[in-house]
Amino acid sequence: MKNKLKPIPENKIGAYMNAFIEKIEKGEKSTSVCPRCGKMIKTFDMPYGYDPEENDVYFVSVCPACGAVLYSKE
């Protein structure tokens, strides 16, 4: 997955970064289950890369419990 990602297009990155900053300022975190440790966690998901084939933006976060790097998409 990570090998096919490209930089997020300029016409998209501004909106994603603004939304990311707004979530940090408000303290809004995403809730998920870490696939490595199995714990319910809350994270900030930062824009990471763009898949031009699927027109999806991928996000990256870190599990606060075990330190696993986690990827998700829109």
Side-chain angles (χ1 to χ4, degrees):
M1 178 260 315
K2 291 178 277 182
N3 294 336
K4 68 179 181 177
L5 296 182
K6 306 290 183 207
I8 300 169
E10 197 169 300
N11 66 338
K12 291 182 177 238
I13 190 64
Y16 282 102
M17 288 306 298
N18 287 336
F20 174 67
I21 291 166
E22 187 175 309
K23 286 183 178 186
I24 288 175
E25 289 173 344
K26 291 181 178 179
E28 294 176 7
K29 294 183 178 183
S30 299
T31 302
S32 61
V33 174
C34 176
R36 186 160 93 182
C37 70
K39 294 186 178 182
M40 181 72 76
I41 57 170
K42 291 185 178 263
T43 59
F44 289 111
D45 301 329
M46 186 171 98
Y48 175 77
Y50 176 68
D51 179 350
E53 292 175 15
E54 296 187 23
N55 192 31
D56 280 331
V57 172
Y58 280 76
F59 300 85
V60 64
S61 60
V62 176
C63 176
C66 72
V69 176
L70 311 172
Y71 299 93
S72 59
K73 67 179 186 174
E74 333 181 74

